[in-house]
Amino acid sequence: MDDVTPYIVLSTILFTIGSVGVLTRRNAIVVFMSVELMLNACNLALVAFAKQHGNLDGQVAAFFVMVVAAAEVVVGLAIIMTIFRTRRSASVDDASLLKY
Amino acid sequence: MIAFWVLAPLMVIAALGVVLVRRAVHSALLLAVVMISLAVLYLTLEAPFLFAVQIIVYTGAILMLFLFVLMLVGVDAADSVVETIRGQRLLAITGGLVMGVLLVVVVAQISLGTMVGMGAANAGGNIEGLADLLFSRYVLSFEATAALLITAALGAMLLAHRERLEPKEGQRAMAARRMQEYGTSGRHLGPLPSPGVYARHNAVDTPALLPDGTPATDSVSRVLAARGTVRSAPALGDVEDVQRTLGDVGGISGGSGSATDTSAGGGYNTENPDTRPQGDDWPEGDE
Amino acid sequence: MFLLSEGGASIPVVDPLGADGVFSLLWLVIALPLAGATILLLGGRRTDAWGHWLGTLTAVGSFVLSLVLFVSMLGREEGQRQVVQHLYDWIRVGDLTVSIDLLLDPLSVLFLLLITGVGSLIHVYSIGYMEHDPRRRRFFAYLNLFVAAMLMLVLSENYLGLFLGWEGVGLASYLLIGFWQHKPSAAAAAKKAFVVNRVGDIGLSLGIALFFVTFGSTSFTVISANASGASDGVLTALGLLLLLAACGKSAQVPLQSWLLDAMEGPTPVSALIHAATMVTAGVYLVVRSNFVFELAPHAQTAVVVVATVTLLWGAVIGCAKDDIKKALAGSTMSQIGYMMLAAGLGVYGYAFAIFHLITHGFFKANMFLGAGSVMHGMNDDVDMRRYGALRKAMPVTFLTFAMGYLAIIGFPGFSGFWSKDKIIETALIESPVAGIGALIGAGVTGFYMTRLMLMTFFGEKRWKDDVHPHESPSVMTGPLVVLAALSVLGGLLYLGHWIVDWLSPVVGTAPKHEPPVPAIVITLLVLAVVAAGVATAWLLVGKRPVPVTAPQDVSFATRAARADLYGDTINETLVINPGRHATAGLTRGDRSLVDGLFTGSAGVTAALGAQLRKVQNGFVRSYALSVVGGVVLVLAALLVVNL
């Protein structure tokens, strides 16, 4: 266990998959999951770098990301529910009225 | 590193699955695989506290929240695969690939050197070390996080709250309404029928049979009907068997064609589950 | 204290005493007509019934007060005849302090008497003249306003206060010329007078600014004490700027064109403002600024040139006009030219300028009012070709007019004889070319005044049958009689050189130059020239019948004179048309270039926005895609930098 690079590469791969998911999926909940995937990928990189540098700051940062992600999920899902309640749809393409 | 090399391909496959599978519930479950694997990776990266938090917060709380919302929302559980925005999918995949390749190349550019390892940092215990940092250097951020969480909780409550615009219907009013409906449209006054109770099929997803042999739609939950998970009533098949063994007892005769139709349908009209199947759909007899 | 200038002439410095006793009522002279104007203008229709009486009363009150002041001043010693009354500090900004100070000295007290005296008579006359005008009260308010402003002009102790009065009389003049504003010609004439006067006012305001820059004050006292310390260039510039101002207000060439059109106003206005008082403000300005002009000989020369040109110009115009008021207006222009000529001659001429100003105020007001009386009896017709033989129909008007006539042509013994004769004599001594011009002018004056007289009062009757000439009411003839008497007796002011001695504390004294020929010879020469002019008029007009419509086959000179010597055409060609073209060009440039740039850039932005807004299609996934694109770009950039 002498190199952090594999972790980082895994992190980038997960991040990329997550971003493609955000771009291609239309179900708002799946989009949200993809966002979570990207956040987790970042956390992995943070924790890996913490180990690389031998201090705990990276872990603290990852901790904060988790807290913020929790808050974000709570509000985001509430928004999705509200939209679903009024529009009977959870597709992100249906909420497209705010435009030119 | 063994754990890593075992888990990494698993995680990539699961992540691809999250993006690729059509049902949101499957996505959520695959995401759980990624997250738990990630928790194990945290352990290998000497972050036991985060391991616990990852499992408790992400897998335990956030994913459960996802599943709850899916239960509330996910009637049209499967996504359509037809892309509506022109060129979006191609551009998204290309952009994603380019970004991934660039990121990997960037990472490869950096020579990170040997890992220092967490031995020194975790000397006084991982949790104690984290607490030390949280309440000293990051105390302001920590306090801000508290505010953020409270705000988020309030926001979620506000968004999920539905304002009641008219007073709640009491028992007396409900009784009066139902009586009224009975008087005007002949709607059944009593409680809804319970689901079917059969020797071989005894569950909430199986409708009961009416005396004429047709299934009682009201006897199963509308949500189950909407999801298409209602089983067909097995009764008609049994009726044919009974007829075959006992011969014509009279009174009960079955048009086999309609019976097959009903059993093959597997479900009920999902459009209007309130519609009560009428007895005269059933042929009275053909002799 | 004296400022010494060339030739041994001495100019006194303005060095007034504080006002005490009856002189502390000085402010009341202005306040009375000002209060009258305020009450009449703010009081509205409520004051219609008695407004004209109030207006007349304030003017008469001012006159009585002026008379008291004059008598008190007569009782003082010569050295104590300058008094100043400090009312309040008007402007105090940094180094500039301008007070409302009233200066009463032998010069301004004469103006006081002229303005309030003639003004009162004209107020009385107007009661009859404007009797049938529904807006008579407003007319009297404007007249009072004019009197107040004119008094402010001549009483102020500094140039800024003078400017206040200067603009005030300009405003009153504008309002009164355009009094019958329902006539487009009157409205246009009022506007023309206002605009042309602005040109002169630019001269005065620049002059005041230059005074402040040079002397740090606009007070006569300060400036006259320090004038000799200023450089020749500055003094000449000041003189020329003041001359420009005087040209505008006094209708001197090249700013003469407004005066003839100003005759659109009611006749009392023409008499008071455009003959007796306001148009002489330029002369007052030059005489008052003697401490500048004495030190700026080039500016004085300019004054003489302008004055000589104007006195001939006005006289020639007067010869060709058939409109009685316009003929008199040309005459006014010419007579003011005489005054300016005298003022331009310096110490030798100041007193005679003022002398002629006063006598002219008498006889010209008399004649204008007489003309008004004639028009009153002729259904407001002003064309002399339709008059004739009015001496029987209007005996009082005829006799009073004749007094004015004899005075203006300089008939021996009448006021104009004394004043004009002294100017021509002085001019011949000091500036022979101008003197010869003035001499010729006297002849031409004799011609056109005789022509006017003959066409109006003598010859055959040429008016139509439905016109019934009649004598005016006594409220109008009364002032005529008084003014006629003054026209005859005005020369008494020169009795024993009284007016010269009286004014010497203000305008200075100079050693008298002996004329090359005895004075009586010059007088006889002038009389001969005038007689020649009168005789010519008798031969051309009196002996022949006057055509009722003006003949068209006339000489070029007559045509030119009828067209005001093409003054309007010159203005049009030199100033108005280039200005109009420049404005049109600038507007075009502004519209195409400046506006085009702005609207063009706005249009480009709008078009760009119309295209760009399509990017905002409402699909959140598209936005996310652009975010990813940005990330890719940043990563690529990082990579490029690092490679």
Side-chain angles (χ1 to χ4, degrees):
Chain A
M1 224 200 262
D2 54 353
D3 196 5
V4 80
T5 313
Y7 287 96
I8 307 302
V9 172
L10 176 63
S11 165
T12 59
I13 290 169
L14 291 180
F15 187 86
T16 310
I17 293 169
S19 63
V20 172
V22 170
L23 294 183
T24 50
R25 295 305 294 264
R26 269 180 295 163
N27 187 329
I29 299 172
V30 181
V31 169
F32 233 115
M33 289 184 210
S34 301
V35 171
E36 294 305 315
L37 193 57
M38 290 163 79
L39 286 171
N40 274 314
C42 293
N43 273 357
L44 178 59
L46 284 171
V47 178
F49 282 128
K51 183 161 182 187
Q52 164 75 26
H53 291 291
N55 61 32
L56 285 167
D57 293 270
Q59 292 192 11
V60 173
F63 172 74
F64 278 128
V65 170
M66 284 180 192
V67 176
V68 173
E72 173 218 335
V73 163
V74 167
V75 176
L77 286 178
I79 291 172
I80 288 171
M81 269 190 59
T82 315
I83 291 174
F84 180 80
R85 204 185 283 154
T86 51
R87 306 179 71 94
R88 288 278 139 203
S89 159
S91 167
V92 287
D93 283 0
D94 285 351
S96 66
L97 290 178
L98 187 65
K99 61 181 175 183
Y100 62 88
Chain B
M1 285 305 274
I2 299 164
F4 177 82
W5 291 118
V6 170
L7 287 174
L10 188 70
M11 282 168 74
V12 172
I13 291 165
L16 282 173
V18 169
V19 176
L20 292 178
V21 296
R22 289 181 58 193
R23 284 191 177 236
V25 184
H26 297 168
S27 286
L29 292 175
L30 286 168
L31 189 60
V33 172
V34 176
M35 284 174 172
I36 294 170
S37 309
L38 203 55
V40 177
L41 284 190
Y42 287 163
L43 212 52
T44 66
L45 287 170
E46 295 172 70
F49 179 67
L50 286 183
F51 161 76
V53 172
Q54 174 78 6
I55 287 183
I56 294 167
V57 173
Y58 261 115
T59 326
I62 295 181
L63 263 177
M64 286 312 112
L65 206 57
F66 268 113
L67 288 172
F68 269 124
V69 174
L70 272 174
M71 277 172 59
L72 288 169
V73 170
V75 177
D76 53 342
D79 242 357
S80 160
V81 287
V82 182
E83 178 57 56
T84 45
I85 307 176
R86 195 160 49 90
Q88 170 81 11
R89 182 169 293 168
L90 182 69
L91 280 172
I93 292 169
T94 317
L97 278 179
V98 171
M99 184 167 73
V101 169
L102 278 175
L103 277 171
V104 171
V105 171
V106 167
V107 170
Q109 291 285 316
I110 312 161
S111 55
L112 289 165
T114 324
M115 265 192 196
V116 176
M118 302 300 285
N122 281 350
N126 178 254
I127 297 172
E128 286 82 349
L130 278 176
D132 222 14
L133 273 179
L134 274 182
F135 292 106
S136 57
R137 194 190 300 172
Y138 296 104
V139 70
L140 271 180
S141 317
F142 190 71
E143 296 295 335
T145 317
L148 177 75
L149 282 175
I150 290 171
T151 316
L154 275 176
M157 280 199 283
L158 187 74
L159 285 167
H161 176 68
R162 208 188 315 205
E163 192 72 31
R164 180 173 284 283
L165 298 172
E166 48 200 18
K168 197 174 178 211
E169 191 176 39
Q171 244 181 347
R172 175 185 288 271
M174 198 190 290
R177 177 174 58 79
R178 294 181 72 166
M179 211 60 180
Q180 183 88 28
E181 280 174 2
Y182 176 70
T184 52
S185 63
R187 189 190 161 102
H188 182 55
L189 199 57
L192 291 172
S194 41
V197 179
Y198 306 108
R200 281 172 287 170
H201 305 284
N202 181 10
V204 287
D205 62 348
T206 313
L209 281 180
L210 292 170
D212 58 1
T214 53
T217 326
D218 284 353
S219 61
V220 290
S221 163
R222 271 188 293 168
V223 176
L224 292 178
R227 288 224 183 119
T229 51
V230 178
R231 285 163 174 269
S232 63
L236 294 176
D238 294 353
V239 168
E240 279 173 354
D241 286 345
V242 170
Q243 274 177 342
R244 215 177 304 124
T245 42
L246 298 182
D248 195 6
V249 189
I252 303 170
S253 61
S256 54
S258 341
T260 333
D261 278 349
T262 317
S263 58
Y268 289 105
N269 179 7
T270 54
E271 291 300 316
N272 193 355
D274 278 347
T275 315
R276 211 180 149 91
Q278 296 299 308
D280 32 354
D281 283 349
W282 187 256
E284 279 301 317
D286 39 2
E287 63 264 71
Chain C
M1 240 182 107
F2 287 93
L3 273 170
L4 290 177
S5 69
E6 296 161 29
S10 59
I11 294 295
V13 165
V14 180
D15 187 17
L17 305 167
D20 53 355
V22 70
F23 291 104
S24 54
L25 293 176
L26 189 53
W27 61 277
L28 213 53
V29 179
I30 301 178
L32 273 175
L34 191 63
T38 312
I39 291 169
L40 293 183
L41 283 177
L42 296 183
R45 267 181 229 134
R46 252 158 290 164
T47 58
D48 271 354
W50 42 268
H52 49 287
W53 292 116
L54 177 74
T56 311
L57 204 67
T58 57
V60 172
S62 270
F63 174 63
V64 171
L65 203 56
S66 303
L67 214 54
V68 170
L69 292 172
F70 176 63
V71 172
S72 319
M73 190 176 278
L74 276 177
R76 286 199 168 196
E77 285 183 26
E78 193 171 299
Q80 295 180 336
R81 282 180 184 162
Q82 289 186 333
V83 289
V84 70
Q85 183 178 25
H86 175 76
L87 293 184
Y88 60 94
D89 282 345
W90 181 23
I91 301 170
R92 196 183 288 154
V93 186
D95 293 338
L96 174 67
T97 305
V98 180
S99 334
I100 296 293
D101 285 346
L102 302 182
L103 171 70
L104 191 73
D105 62 5
L107 177 62
S108 52
V109 82
L110 287 183
F111 267 91
L112 230 56
L113 288 174
L114 177 72
I115 295 161
T116 55
V118 177
S120 301
L121 290 173
I122 288 172
H123 273 81
V124 173
Y125 177 90
S126 302
I127 294 174
Y129 189 83
M130 301 297 285
E131 189 170 6
H132 303 295
D133 194 300
R135 293 157 76 233
R136 176 164 71 167
R137 184 255 317 163
R138 190 183 293 253
F139 180 81
F140 275 86
Y142 291 160
L143 275 189
N144 267 352
L145 179 66
F146 167 78
V147 170
M150 190 71 200
L151 290 170
M152 182 70 210
L153 197 163
V154 298
L155 280 178
S156 173
E157 197 271 332
N158 52 54
Y159 278 103
L160 212 57
L162 182 147
F163 192 56
L164 183 68
W166 188 271
E167 292 299 316
V169 294
L171 170 68
S173 160
Y174 167 79
L175 291 171
L176 286 166
I177 295 171
F179 185 71
W180 287 320
Q181 67 228 37
H182 50 85
K183 287 199 296 186
S185 59
K191 195 167 87 178
K192 184 175 179 182
F194 205 73
V195 170
V196 176
N197 266 299
R198 290 281 78 69
V199 179
D201 295 348
I202 288 171
L204 188 50
S205 36
L206 287 180
I208 291 170
L210 194 53
F211 273 128
F212 177 63
V213 169
T214 314
F215 302 105
S217 169
T218 61
S219 157
F220 298 146
T221 314
V222 176
I223 295 170
S224 64
N226 301 316
S228 50
S231 71
D232 284 353
V234 169
L235 286 167
T236 307
L238 280 171
L240 291 176
L241 287 171
L242 292 175
L243 173 63
L244 179 63
C247 281
K249 198 56 93 188
S250 294
Q252 301 293 291
V253 175
L255 300 177
Q256 83 292 357
S257 63
W258 64 272
L259 184 60
L260 289 165
D261 289 1
M263 295 303 128
E264 288 290 342
T267 308
V269 172
S270 308
L272 177 62
I273 300 183
H274 304 121
T277 53
M278 187 192 84
V279 285
T280 59
V283 181
Y284 170 78
L285 184 69
V286 173
V287 174
R288 176 56 85 193
S289 310
N290 56 0
F291 40 80
V292 173
F293 280 98
E294 278 310 310
L295 298 172
H298 297 299
Q300 276 188 319
T301 312
V303 173
V304 170
V305 170
V306 164
T308 313
V309 171
T310 309
L311 77 87
L312 290 171
W313 187 293
V316 170
I317 291 175
C319 292
K321 288 289 172 187
D322 292 330
D323 179 328
I324 185 168
K325 286 180 70 182
K326 291 206 169 170
L328 286 172
S331 157
T332 303
M333 200 191 287
S334 169
Q335 297 303 314
I336 297 167
Y338 276 104
M339 299 170 210
M340 288 296 272
L341 174 60
L345 293 175
V347 185
Y348 310 102
Y350 289 136
F352 300 128
I354 299 303
F355 182 31
H356 192 54
L357 192 155
I358 291 167
T359 56
H360 173 260
F362 294 153
F363 61 69
K364 188 53 68 64
N366 173 24
M367 283 194 286
F368 259 114
L369 295 185
S373 175
V374 171
M375 287 158 56
H376 195 69
M378 297 293 289
N379 291 357
D380 286 334
D381 192 352
V382 291
D383 192 346
M384 292 189 292
R385 291 185 183 277
R386 291 197 286 270
Y387 290 171
L390 288 174
R391 66 181 183 277
K392 296 207 181 69
M394 307 178 179
V396 179
T397 306
F398 165 64
L399 283 173
T400 55
F401 202 97
M403 296 303 115
Y405 161 73
L406 292 174
I408 192 174
I409 64 168
F411 195 79
F414 285 71
S415 61
F417 168 75
W418 303 105
S419 55
K420 204 186 328 182
D421 186 59
K422 293 313 289 180
I423 291 176
I424 297 172
E425 182 189 319
T426 315
L428 279 172
I429 296 168
E430 302 298 330
S431 169
V433 180
I436 290 166
L439 195 59
I440 297 169
V444 182
T445 307
F447 172 78
Y448 68 74
M449 283 314 299
T450 311
R451 171 176 175 272
L452 191 151
M453 206 55 196
L454 291 172
M455 285 174 85
T456 306
F457 293 105
F458 294 91
E460 300 296 310
K461 86 172 183 92
R462 296 186 298 276
W463 66 79
K464 299 206 181 80
D465 289 339
D466 57 341
V467 178
H468 304 290
H470 55 85
E471 189 54 85
S472 302
S474 59
V475 74
M476 284 166 71
T477 52
L480 282 177
V481 172
V482 175
L483 283 169
L486 288 170
S487 306
V488 178
L489 301 173
L492 289 177
L493 289 174
Y494 191 59
L495 198 64
H497 292 79
W498 178 81
I499 191 162
V500 178
D501 295 340
W502 174 256
L503 286 174
S504 65
V506 181
V507 300
T509 52
K512 191 160 172 60
H513 290 196
E514 279 307 316
V517 288
I520 186 71
V521 177
I522 294 177
T523 307
L524 288 174
L525 186 64
V526 173
L527 284 176
V529 171
V530 170
V534 172
T536 314
W538 172 253
L539 291 175
L540 289 179
V541 183
K543 298 276 278 183
R544 290 192 273 177
V546 178
V548 175
T549 52
Q552 296 303 311
D553 53 337
V554 290
S555 66
F556 171 75
T558 313
R559 272 205 303 277
R562 278 184 189 162
D564 304 348
L565 292 180
Y566 302 116
D568 285 343
T569 320
I570 293 168
N571 284 350
E572 195 106 345
T573 325
L574 289 184
V575 183
I576 299 176
N577 277 339
R580 194 175 287 150
H581 288 311
T583 312
L586 281 176
T587 315
R588 250 198 317 279
D590 182 55
R591 212 165 275 156
S592 57
L593 199 71
V594 181
D595 283 10
L597 260 173
F598 277 97
T599 51
S601 61
V604 167
T605 315
L608 214 62
Q611 294 305 313
L612 277 178
R613 69 171 195 170
K614 288 181 182 156
V615 173
Q616 183 157 15
N617 55 8
F619 293 119
V620 72
R621 293 190 295 142
S622 290
Y623 305 161
L625 187 62
S626 48
V627 172
V628 169
V631 171
V632 168
L633 281 180
V634 169
L635 282 174
L638 277 177
L639 209 57
V640 167
V641 172
N642 276 331
L643 275 179

